[in-house]
Amino acid sequence: MSQTHEFQAEVKQVLDIVIHSLYTDREIFIRELVSNAADAMEKMRLTQLTENDVFDAASTLEVTITADEAARTLTIADHGIGMTRAELVENLGTIAHSGSKAFAAALKNAGKQNDASLIGQFGVGFYSAFMVADKVEVHTHSWRNDGEHLVWTSDGSTSYTIDESADQARGCKIILHLKEDAAEFAKTHRVKQILEKYSNFVSFPVILDGERVNTVEAIWLKSKDGITDEQYTEFYRFASHSFDDPSYRLHFQAESPIAINALLFTPTQNMESYGMGQMEPGVGLYCKKVLIDPKPKKLLPEWMRFVRGVIDSEDLPLNISRESMQDSALVRKLGDVVAKRLLKHLDKEAIEDPKKYNAFYKDFSRFFKEGIATDHTNRDAIAKLLRFESSMTEAGETVSLTDYVKRMKEGQTTIYYQVATSRSTIESGPYVAAFKEKGFEVLYMFEHIDEYVISSLHKFEEKDLKSVNAPDIDLGDATGEGESLPEADATILCDWIKERLATEVETVRTSKRLVGSPALVLTPEGEMSPQIRQMMKAMGKDGDMPGNKVIFELNPRHQLIRNLAKLQKTDAETAGLITEQILDNALLSAGLLDEPQRIIERTQKLMEKLSS
Ligand code: ADP
Ligand code: MG
C-alpha cells in the first residue's frame, strides 16, 4: 500500500535552499551519501556484537556504487542497519534539531549564497541529493527481521511516498535520477575522481562499477613525516563533515602510561555560534583502527566538544561496550592525557603566533571560559589560554595572564581586573585611574560571565585575582593632585550625604584611591557584585533581588567635592540635587544604575536653577 507523507516544515525549508540556491560544490552530495552509508554500516557492526537475530546477516559491509550514463542514474548501496517504515518517516521526513534555521543563517553568514559545503555539518546531508536529482528512491530493509521491504520516493518538493517493494537486501540502496544539468555524476570517471578525494578515510570498502576505489587508511597510525598538509586537511574535513580548514592540529603517539595514537584538530568555525545548540563531542574513540564510539561523552572534558579527530589506543579491550566505556578508568586516563597534551600544544602555538591565536580565540573563548568553570583538573592550563585587553594594551590587543604576571610591579601581589561592557566604559569610569597612576596593570573584561569565570579561577600562579571595585583595596594615598578638603569639613559633608541618601548608601567616606573623578561606589563585602546582578537581570531573575546599598566614596581633592562642601552650607537644596547626580554618575559607571530615567527629571531641575 502506498502512503504519501508531507515533509515537516523545517525539511521543506532545507529542500528549498538546496534546490534553489546551491549551485556550486554540488559534488559533495556523494560524500554525504557515502558517509551515511558508512555510518549505517558502523552501526550495523556494533549491533552485530550484541544481537543474534539479524536480517540478511551474511551480507558484507561495503558500499557499492553504480553509475549508469544511459539511464542518467547513480546508485549508492550499503548493507548497514537500513530503516523501518517509522525510521524512514523520522529520519528522512523530519529534522529533530534546529538544523534548517541554523543552516540558512550560516549560509548568509558565509556570504556565499551558494556554498553547499556547509550542509553536512548541520545534520541535513541526505537532502543534498536533491541538488542533483529530481527524483530520489531509497530502497531499504531494516536489520530487524520483522522489518518490511520498502521504497521511499520523493521529488524533493513537498512530500514523499513510502511503498512496499520487492525483495530488498539489508541496508539502503539509494537511486538518484539525475537532473539534466547533473549528468556528469552518472559518469564513472567523474564519480571516481570525487570519491578519490576523501573516501580513503571511509572505513569500509567503496566499490565503484565493480572496482574498489579506496584503501582504508588510518592516517592517525602513520608517522607524521609521511603525511602532507593536504592529507591532514582532507581527513579533518572527512572527520568533521566540514569544508573549512582546521586552525590547529595535534598528531602524536605515546607508549606510556598508555598506548595512544591521537590526531586532533580545532576548527576555524564555531558551529555553536550559529545557534545550532550544543555540539556533540567530535573526537572518536578507536581501538586498533576499529571505531568504538564516534561521539564518546566522557573521553575528553565536555568543554572540549569543539575539538575534532581520533583517539586510538590498543590498550582498550576491543569488545568494550559504549556503556562500560563511559565508566572505564582506562578511558578516563586516556582522555586526561590527551586533554593535557592538547592544552599544552595550544599554549605553545599561541605563544609562537599570537596573531593567529587571537583570531581563533575570538570565536572559541567561550569554551575556554566554560572549561575554567567546569574542568577543575585542567583549570590552570586553561587559564594560560585566556586573553584580555588591559590598561597597558592598545584597544583590540590582548595580554595573557602569564604575561601579566611577568610584568607585575615589584611588590604587587594581586592581579587586578574590571568587568564592564566596553573599554571606553572602563577608561572613562572612576576605578582604573589610581591603578594606572601606581603603575598596576588592569585587565579589561567585557563579558558578564567573566566575573564568574575569574571567581572560579580564584588564583593564577599563586596570585590573587581582584576586581578594581572590590571594597577592600588599599593602594595607599593617591598623589600629585590638588589640595584636599580639611578632614573636619569632609566629615561634615559625609555625614550630611549619608543622612540625605540613607536609602541608597550604606557608608559615605572619603577615598584615597580616586584620581581625576569626584566619586565612585563600591559593593559592600558579601553583597552581589554588579556583574552577577546584571547576569541575573539578563536571565530575568532580578525580581526578588534585594536592592544593594552601596559604599559611596568621595574624592576630597576634587574641585567639585570641595565646592559641594561649601554649597551644602549655603544652598542645601542645590547641593542635594548635585549630590544625587554624583551618586547616579558613579552608579552608572559601576553598572548599578537601575532607574536611569530619574536623571532626566533631576538635571531638568538643576538647569532651571542655573538659568534663573
Ligand atoms: P546525519 O547523517 O547528520 O544524521 P543526514 O541528513 O545525512 O543527517 O541523514 C539523516 C538520517 O537518515 C541519518 O541520521 C540516518 O538515521 C538516516 N540515514 C541516512 N542514510 C542512511 C543509510 N544509508 N542507512 C541507514 N540510515 C540512513
Ligand atoms: Mg549524514
Side-chain angles (χ1 to χ4, degrees), residues 269-477:
Q269 285 172 339
N270 172 2
M271 297 305 290
E272 285 188 12
S273 67
Y274 291 122
M276 268 284 282
Q278 279 225 347
M279 279 187 254
E280 291 185 294
V283 177
L285 180 64
Y286 288 70
C287 171
K288 295 185 209 151
K289 289 200 215 179
V290 177
L291 183 60
I292 291 172
D293 189 342
K295 297 165 183 171
K297 284 213 159 54
K298 292 191 180 164
L299 180 57
L300 292 175
E302 191 185 345
W303 69 269
M304 283 194 178
R305 59 188 177 274
F306 64 98
V307 180
R308 298 284 171 263
V310 167
I311 298 175
D312 192 322
S313 173
E314 57 185 49
D315 290 346
L316 289 171
L318 236 190
N319 58 357
I320 189 170
S321 75
R322 283 188 206 185
E323 290 68 39
S324 56
M325 194 224 75
Q326 308 269 343
D327 301 314
S328 145
L330 192 62
V331 170
R332 263 204 309 278
K333 180 88 201 153
L334 192 61
D336 200 44
V337 171
V338 175
K340 289 206 160 59
R341 279 290 281 260
L342 181 64
L343 285 166
K344 221 166 134 186
H345 180 69
L346 288 176
D347 185 42
K348 192 177 120 244
E349 295 270 350
I351 291 164
E352 273 168 19
D353 188 348
K355 213 173 140 202
K356 177 180 169 188
Y357 182 74
N358 277 347
F360 166 76
Y361 183 77
K362 251 199 186 104
D363 278 338
F364 291 88
S365 61
R366 274 294 168 110
F367 293 102
F368 297 124
K369 290 177 182 178
E370 184 185 322
I372 299 262
T374 59
D375 182 359
H376 302 209
T377 28
N378 292 310
R379 185 169 284 164
D380 293 342
I382 306 170
K384 288 189 186 165
L385 296 171
L386 297 176
R387 295 292 183 273
F388 300 104
E389 288 193 24
S390 88
S391 54
M392 292 187 184
T393 70
E394 299 293 319
E397 280 168 17
T398 59
V399 61
S400 65
L401 290 170
T402 311
D403 285 341
Y404 181 106
V405 170
K406 268 190 208 147
R407 63 195 193 201
M408 273 167 75
K409 272 194 69 170
E410 224 185 280
Q412 184 184 349
T413 53
T414 306
I415 299 172
Y416 297 109
Y417 67 90
Q418 184 175 354
V419 185
T421 46
S422 69
R423 191 177 177 96
S424 58
T425 310
I426 294 175
E427 301 218 306
S428 65
Y431 299 99
V432 288
F435 292 84
K436 281 188 176 170
E437 196 196 62
K438 299 274 175 194
F440 297 150
E441 183 167 14
V442 177
L443 298 172
Y444 296 173
M445 308 186 178
F446 305 134
E447 290 188 296
H448 291 330
I449 56 161
D450 289 335
E451 177 78 37
Y452 180 67
V453 171
I454 292 302
S455 61
S456 313
L457 183 60
H458 198 54
K459 273 176 192 286
F460 180 79
E461 291 182 6
E462 307 291 304
K463 308 279 186 296
D464 284 325
L465 287 137
K466 205 162 223 179
S467 170
V468 293
N469 51 24
D472 58 343
I473 287 177
D474 186 0
L475 298 179
D477 279 346

Side-chain angles (χ1 to χ4, degrees), residues 41-61 79 81 143 170:
M41 291 194 292
E42 205 59 71
K43 288 177 192 155
M44 192 61 237
R45 203 178 48 73
L46 291 167
T47 307
Q48 257 165 340
L49 295 177
T50 53
E51 299 279 345
N52 298 321
D53 190 21
V54 170
F55 178 73
D56 209 357
S59 53
T60 10
L61 297 182
H79 296 299
I81 51 170
W143 67 272
R170 189 195 70 222

Side-chain angles (χ1 to χ4, degrees), residues 32 35-36 39 125 241:
E32 294 306 325
S35 86
N36 283 351
D39 288 349
H241 278 254

Side-chain angles (χ1 to χ4, degrees), residues 448 451 469 523 528-535 548 590-592:
H448 291 330
E451 177 78 37
N469 51 24
T523 310
M528 229 183 268
S529 81
Q531 287 68 37
I532 301 291
R533 285 178 77 87
Q534 277 165 0
M535 234 161 79
N548 265 4
L592 282 173

